[in-house]
Amino acid sequence: MTADKHGEHGGYEYAETVVIGAGQQGCGVAGALQERGRGALVLERGEIGQAWAHERWDSLLVGSGNLSVRFPGREYDGDDPYGLPSGPELARRLRRYAAERKLHVRQHTPVQKVECPPDASDRDDVRFRTHLASGGVIGSRNLVAAVGGYAAPRTPALAADVDPAVLQIHSRDYRNPEALPGGAVLVVGAGISGQQIADELVDSGRRTFLAVGRHRAWPRRYRGRGIQEWLQALPPLYEEFGAAGGDGGPVLPGLPVTAVNDRTGDLNVGALAAKGVTLVGSVRAADGGRLLLKDNVVATAEESARSFGRAVDLIDTVIRERGFAAPQENPAPAMPLDGVTAFGETLDLAHHGITAIVWCTGFGPDYGILPRHVLDATGAPLQQKGLIGALPGLYYAGLPDGNSLASVGIAANVENGRFIARLIHVDHVMRSGSPMSLATT
């Protein structure tokens, strides 16, 4: 593995495959190509595992657990399979993998833009030119964008209408309660980051408000297994991601919120309400020191509880239909609703002593380095299966596949990487005229 601190590579270079991004997805592609005897040059704007190591809050726990931290040719081999690693720990494991496999990674090497020569043919070695911020250019036959769908923090436009006396930060910039000014805190967004941060804040003694939004609730463990194991074993559970409820209810997207700071129990809006977090409705507008809310606390919590119940029922059904041996759990876990109450349609920040807002409103894709004609009108990649781009030789790793988020999970880097590596290897066999059978690739 190389770690070029400043990315100063003037002139022109060639690599059969350039991978942009050295997170788990980018390193997964490089590792899978190595399994097939093919090389790749991985370019990383910061360090390997940059986001996990430096762009998340201090107490983050990876809810998918230790078993999910796997890479091509490298399964988890520790003694705590159900443990929840921190972000920096995940980054350290990724770096160990890159070092052990001697992956060719250039750190601190941001990409300025990618060009596609208009006259490139299917026989050409160079179908892409990757321009580095340092001034160098790398030609390649294949280009894998492994920056994922979570590169650009999203903050709603209404944030500009909030009283400037109130500190506003995105979850990417939040680190710990001590870094915030004294007073109460409003967390906006009830996904993984919103719930974990609200949980940490209330545990630290802060008066905490959480603006709810669409999300799913899942049991952390059920019938002897962690939810992530069930997700891997039972594909229908993954189909729940992004799908409407069986009762025709609203869509509740998102990965399971399961990583609790004390590493026990379940984390959901009902559990947070029981701990003393004040649930408020989704924020729809701001007027200085007042936020205008939807009156949807109870409805959102109830639908979240129903999604929790659907997950439990689906696990029970598949166990029964397939005759799996799994211990009974009576009573079955359920999301508590006793502490959930309506809040109203206005939140007066000063009245409640709120001095800071943490926007846990997610991230969006940032593929601005790619040619405009491979993106749609919104700037998102034109793609198939979340992996295949709009040009021959262009691939993506870490994008959602349709309505499912299964392909963005940490462990999915193995399947994603091997899928892409197979296509690149087939391309090599076809172009080189090798007698090797495609059936063996």
Side-chain angles (χ1 to χ4, degrees), residues 209-231:
F209 294 77
L210 176 65
V212 301
R214 299 182 304 163
H215 70 283
R216 292 193 181 280
W218 302 75
R220 188 177 65 87
R221 290 181 60 80
Y222 183 53
R223 298 191 69 171
R225 299 285 177 177
I227 189 63
Q228 294 292 339
E229 287 186 281
W230 288 123
L231 286 167

Side-chain angles (χ1 to χ4, degrees), residues 247-418:
D247 57 0
V251 173
L252 294 176
L255 293 165
V257 181
T258 56
V260 188
N261 288 333
D262 66 5
R263 301 173 190 261
T264 64
D266 292 321
L267 184 60
N268 50 63
V269 293
L272 289 169
K275 293 180 72 170
V277 173
T278 301
L279 304 181
V280 304
S282 303
V283 181
R284 59 185 180 86
D287 181 13
R290 289 193 320 140
L291 299 185
L292 306 181
L293 312 170
K294 294 181 181 178
D295 186 11
N296 64 342
V297 171
V298 174
T300 299
E302 288 177 344
E303 176 54 26
S304 183
R306 283 192 290 270
S307 78
F308 189 107
R310 284 196 297 271
V312 169
D313 291 344
L314 184 55
I315 294 171
D316 286 340
T317 298
V318 176
I319 288 174
R320 183 175 62 253
E321 290 177 349
R322 300 186 185 179
F324 293 155
Q328 292 290 335
E329 194 165 326
N330 293 309
M335 183 182 127
L337 291 173
D338 293 346
V340 175
T341 59
F343 183 83
E345 297 184 344
T346 303
L347 176 61
D348 187 316
L349 301 177
H351 175 75
H352 293 286
I354 295 173
T355 60
I357 298 175
V358 182
W359 295 101
C360 297
T361 41
F363 298 78
D366 184 1
Y367 289 90
I369 59 174
L370 298 183
R372 191 68 191 84
H373 63 282
V374 305
L375 308 175
D376 67 17
T378 69
L382 298 169
Q383 46 80 22
Q384 303 173 40
K385 301 181 181 297
L387 294 164
I388 302 172
L391 293 174
L394 177 61
Y395 304 98
Y396 299 95
L399 286 178
D401 177 13
N403 287 330
S404 174
L405 294 178
S407 59
V408 308
I410 293 170
N413 79 82
V414 179
E415 289 73 21
N416 292 342
R418 287 174 174 163

Side-chain angles (χ1 to χ4, degrees), residues 69-328:
V69 185
R70 51 192 288 264
F71 310 105
R74 184 64 142 120
E75 298 292 325
Y76 175 72
D77 58 0
D79 57 4
D80 187 18
Y82 299 115
L84 303 174
S86 67
E89 172 58 25
L90 195 157
R92 285 192 291 271
R93 294 189 204 174
L94 181 56
R95 291 166 186 169
R96 283 199 298 270
Y97 175 76
E100 291 168 359
R101 299 290 163 143
K102 296 182 171 59
L103 302 182
H104 191 190
V105 181
R106 286 189 187 162
Q107 302 182 87
H108 304 284
T109 307
V111 171
Q112 184 181 60
K113 66 177 179 178
V114 175
E115 289 183 319
C116 302
D119 56 347
S121 74
D122 60 357
R123 293 272 176 187
D124 287 342
D125 285 340
V126 177
R127 297 191 289 197
F128 304 94
R129 293 194 184 102
T130 300
H131 294 255
L132 306 179
S134 61
V137 178
I138 303 171
S140 66
R141 179 160 176 85
N142 308 295
L143 192 287
V144 183
V147 298
Y150 305 95
R154 293 186 304 196
T155 301
L158 64 86
D161 299 323
V162 175
D163 183 350
V166 177
L167 174 70
Q168 299 184 68
I169 60 172
H170 189 272
S171 61
R172 186 186 68 172
D173 302 310
Y174 169 83
R175 292 297 174 264
N176 52 61
E178 292 72 29
L180 299 178
V185 182
L186 169 65
V187 178
V188 180
I192 293 175
S193 57
Q195 291 195 36
Q196 278 200 29
I197 290 173
D199 190 38
E200 175 179 67
L201 288 167
V202 74
D203 282 350
S204 73
R206 290 293 189 98
R207 188 178 182 199
T208 305
F209 294 77
L210 176 65
V212 301
R214 299 182 304 163
H215 70 283
R216 292 193 181 280
W218 302 75
R220 188 177 65 87
R221 290 181 60 80
Y222 183 53
R223 298 191 69 171
R225 299 285 177 177
I227 189 63
Q228 294 292 339
E229 287 186 281
W230 288 123
L231 286 167
Q232 293 177 31
L234 310 179
L237 271 179
Y238 261 132
E239 294 171 9
E240 278 280 291
F241 288 163
D247 57 0
V251 173
L252 294 176
L255 293 165
V257 181
T258 56
V260 188
N261 288 333
D262 66 5
R263 301 173 190 261
T264 64
D266 292 321
L267 184 60
N268 50 63
V269 293
L272 289 169
K275 293 180 72 170
V277 173
T278 301
L279 304 181
V280 304
S282 303
V283 181
R284 59 185 180 86
D287 181 13
R290 289 193 320 140
L291 299 185
L292 306 181
L293 312 170
K294 294 181 181 178
D295 186 11
N296 64 342
V297 171
V298 174
T300 299
E302 288 177 344
E303 176 54 26
S304 183
R306 283 192 290 270
S307 78
F308 189 107
R310 284 196 297 271
V312 169
D313 291 344
L314 184 55
I315 294 171
D316 286 340
T317 298
V318 176
I319 288 174
R320 183 175 62 253
E321 290 177 349
R322 300 186 185 179
F324 293 155
Q328 292 290 335

